[in-house]
Amino acid sequence: MAVQSFSDEQARVIVNLEQAYQVWMETLRTLNDMPYNMRIKEVSGREYLYEVTDRLGSMKSRGPVDAEKQAEFDEYKAAKAELKTRLTRSKATLKEQGSLYRALRLPMLPTEAGKILRQADRMRFLGAQAMVVGTNALTAYALEANGFIRDAPDATIDFDLALTATDADEDRPTLWKILKEVDMTYAVNAERPFQARNASAYEIEILSAPSRIGGQIARDKPRPVPLPEQEWLLNGRPVDRVVGVRDGEAARIVAPDPRWFALQKLWMAEKPERSPQKRPKDRQQGIALLNAVWQTMPHYALDAAFYEELPDELKPHFIQWDDQKQR
C-alpha cells in the first residue's frame, strides 16, 4: 500500500487541530480588522474621539464626543476586550492540540514555512493570492489521504510558493509585507530575484503561471519566475488543510489538486533542464502521490474523464503510471 493509514487517535487530533486553528484564525482576523486603538482626548476644552491607526501612535479624529460617539467608544472597548480573551483561550487550545499532533508524529511543516503560512493566512493572502507548490504540499496531501504517503521524500530546506491572483490590486497585502512581518531579515537574492532568504539562510522561492504573472503589483517582491508548467497546477480542485508545525504550532496549506501536482512532478523528472539531483525525488513523489490518490482519494478521480483533460505533455506519464501502478 502506498499509504499507511493514521490511527483513530491521530485522525481525531487532526480534526481537532483544524477546528482549533479555524477559531483562532477567525478571532485573530476579526481583532486585526478593528481599529488599532481608540481614545478620547481633550482639545481646547472639548473632548474628541480619536482612532489610533498604527503602533507609532498616529491618530485621526472621529469628531467631538457626544452620546453616539461615547457609545461607539464603549462598544469598541468591550468588543476588543472580549476578542482578546477569546484569542487567548483559542490560542491555548491550539497549542494543546499542536503538542498532541507533534507527539503523535504526524506529518509536519518546518517552523519557518509555518510562520510564513500563518501570516499569509492572517492577511488573507493564502488561497486568494498564493498556494504552496513545492515539497511542503505533501504534508497536506498526507492529511487528505488520511495516512502517511510512503516512498515520497519530503525533506526540504526551502519553501516554494506560487502566486495565483488574476489581477493586481493595490489594496491587497503584498508578499513582501508578509515576509517582513514574519522576519525583518528577509532579503531578495540579487542573483535570483525570485528568491528571498532570511539571516538563517531559509529560502523562499516565488513562482507563477504565465497567465497569473500580472496578478502581482509592481512594487511587490520577490518577482516570480513565470513557468509554463505552473499553468497545470491551476487546474482541478485545490487541497486545503490545517497541518502541524515542528515548533508545536499549526498552519494552513492550500495546495494544487494532487493529481495535477503528481503528474507535473513526473514531467519535471524528465525535463532536460532539471537538476539531476532533483529528478529522482520528483519521480518518487509523483508516483507515490498518484498511488495515494488512487488508493485513498476517490474524490479525485483518476479515470478516463480526467485523462481527457490532460495536455499532451502529461498523458504519457499518466499512461505509464496506470500500467505500472501498485496492486
Side-chain angles (χ1 to χ4, degrees):
M1 290 289 289
V3 175
Q4 177 187 343
S5 297
F6 296 139
S7 68
D8 290 344
E9 177 66 9
Q10 287 173 322
R12 183 184 67 81
V13 168
I14 289 169
V15 171
N16 289 343
L17 182 77
E18 181 164 358
Q19 291 175 346
Y21 178 88
Q22 289 173 346
V23 172
W24 173 73
M25 181 55 67
E26 178 184 350
T27 305
L28 181 62
R29 285 175 173 176
T30 302
L31 188 59
N32 288 339
D33 288 343
M34 297 183 72
Y36 184 77
N37 200 1
M38 294 181 75
R39 65 179 57 168
I40 293 176
K41 183 179 178 182
E42 185 175 316
V43 179
S44 301
R46 188 171 187 183
E47 290 186 326
Y48 289 81
L49 178 62
Y50 282 87
E51 177 183 334
V52 182
T53 57
D54 56 38
R55 298 175 185 176
L56 299 177
S58 303
M59 294 191 296
K60 64 180 181 180
S61 174
R62 298 179 73 126
V65 175
D66 54 16
E68 183 179 341
K69 288 291 190 295
Q70 185 66 52
E72 180 183 351
F73 177 73
D74 293 342
E75 289 172 6
Y76 167 80
K77 288 296 186 181
K80 189 167 186 179
E82 182 181 349
L83 282 170
K84 283 186 172 181
T85 299
R86 182 177 174 85
L87 186 67
T88 299
R89 291 177 177 173
S90 62
K91 182 66 172 180
T93 301
L94 182 59
K95 290 282 286 185
E96 178 184 356
Q97 294 303 319
S99 296
L100 290 172
Y101 185 105
R102 184 177 181 181
L104 291 171
R105 300 182 180 276
L106 286 158
M108 289 186 292
L109 280 175
T111 298
E112 290 299 325
K115 292 178 181 178
I116 293 169
L117 287 171
R118 279 193 299 274
Q119 189 67 13
D121 198 17
R122 181 185 75 82
M123 298 177 72
R124 299 180 175 89
F125 186 89
L126 184 66
Q129 292 181 251
M131 63 181 174
V132 178
V133 295
T135 295
N136 286 302
L138 289 170
T139 308
Y141 296 144
L143 267 59
E144 192 73 13
N146 193 40
F148 299 97
I149 300 177
R150 299 167 61 184
D151 303 321
D154 59 0
T156 183
I157 58 172
D158 57 8
F159 183 58
D160 294 341
L161 201 65
L163 302 186
T164 57
T166 56
D167 62 315
D169 185 345
E170 294 284 344
D171 294 329
R172 289 196 303 240
T174 63
L175 172 62
W176 193 236
K177 179 176 175 61
I178 290 167
L179 293 180
K180 283 296 188 178
E181 293 210 4
V182 169
D183 185 342
M184 285 297 295
T185 69
Y186 272 109
V188 174
N189 182 347
E191 296 181 356
R192 309 184 80 186
F194 55 89
Q195 292 178 345
R197 295 173 180 165
N198 66 8
S200 301
Y202 189 77
E203 185 176 274
I204 176 171
E205 189 165 297
I206 309 303
L207 311 173
S208 176
S211 66
R212 304 297 173 90
I213 200 72
Q216 186 185 37
I217 63 174
R219 61 185 172 84
D220 199 5
K221 54 186 177 181
R223 305 303 295 181
V225 53
L227 297 172
E229 59 265 29
Q230 286 293 314
E231 296 286 354
W232 300 331
L233 301 185
L234 299 173
N235 296 327
R237 186 173 67 257
V239 166
D240 191 335
R241 304 296 304 227
V242 173
V243 305
V245 182
R246 288 176 188 161
D247 60 1
E249 300 280 349
R252 176 175 165 237
I253 291 181
V254 177
D257 184 305
R259 300 167 298 179
W260 290 92
F261 182 94
L263 287 168
Q264 191 225 41
K265 282 289 183 179
L266 293 178
W267 178 87
M268 291 285 289
E270 302 297 329
K271 186 178 180 180
E273 301 89 341
R274 188 67 164 166
S275 167
Q277 286 75 35
K278 294 182 178 180
R279 289 181 185 177
K281 184 178 77 168
D282 291 334
R283 185 175 297 106
Q284 291 170 20
Q285 289 177 343
I287 292 173
L289 183 53
L290 278 178
N291 285 333
V293 172
W294 173 57
Q295 293 174 357
T296 65
M297 304 183 205
H299 48 299
Y300 287 103
L302 289 166
D303 54 15
F306 173 69
Y307 175 79
E308 291 302 321
E309 295 178 25
L310 297 176
D312 291 341
E313 298 95 323
L314 296 183
K315 284 183 176 179
H317 300 291
F318 182 91
I319 293 172
Q320 185 178 19
W321 166 79
D322 192 47
D323 289 342
Q324 300 177 0
K325 64 179 182 257
Q326 298 179 17
R327 299 189 181 278

